[in-house]
Amino acid sequence: VNGQIDRLLISDKEVIIADYKTTRIAPKTAENCPEAYLVQMAVYRHLLQDLYPNHTIRCLLIWTSAPSVMELPEDILIQRMGLINRKLDHS
């Protein structure tokens, strides 16, 4: 995996991953986010879950054009990670 988390906050009970996005028009919902962003955050979440198994992992996209912050729902990230795992299994 090659990537860089823009901001990372680690507390006693949770890890917050924040990534800045400069897309000209920020999507209104997580379902409308570019797929690449969802996959990126799903991978970050997956890797940090292994490092912090007793923490809640939250993923935020910070849209610089709006400006606004969008928290990505856990179910969307779990689904994306499942798709990634299935693709890897079939490689």
Side-chain angles (χ1 to χ4, degrees):
V1 173
N2 182 13
Q4 180 176 330
I5 296 172
D6 292 334
R7 294 289 180 262
L8 184 64
L9 172 73
I10 303 167
S11 72
D12 292 338
K13 296 184 180 184
E14 70 179 0
V15 174
I16 299 174
I17 304 164
D19 205 66
Y20 293 100
K21 298 300 180 191
T22 58
T23 303
R24 292 193 119 232
I25 300 173
K28 296 197 184 308
T29 67
E31 292 80 3
N32 293 326
C33 283
E35 185 66 18
Y37 296 171
L38 297 175
V39 167
Q40 173 191 18
M41 297 302 276
V43 170
Y44 288 167
R45 180 180 175 277
H46 177 76
L47 294 171
L48 286 167
Q49 278 182 318
D50 287 345
L51 294 173
Y52 299 96
N54 299 319
H55 287 63
T56 299
I57 310 290
R58 296 174 56 205
C59 295
L60 309 176
L61 294 178
I62 302 171
W63 303 99
T64 59
S65 63
S68 67
V69 176
M70 175 186 292
E71 184 163 358
L72 299 175
E74 184 179 51
D75 61 328
I76 289 176
L77 299 172
I78 290 169
Q79 183 210 30
R80 291 311 185 282
M81 201 63 225
L83 293 172
I84 293 166
N85 286 330
R86 282 193 288 284
K87 285 181 183 180
L88 292 173
D89 289 343
H90 290 94
S91 295

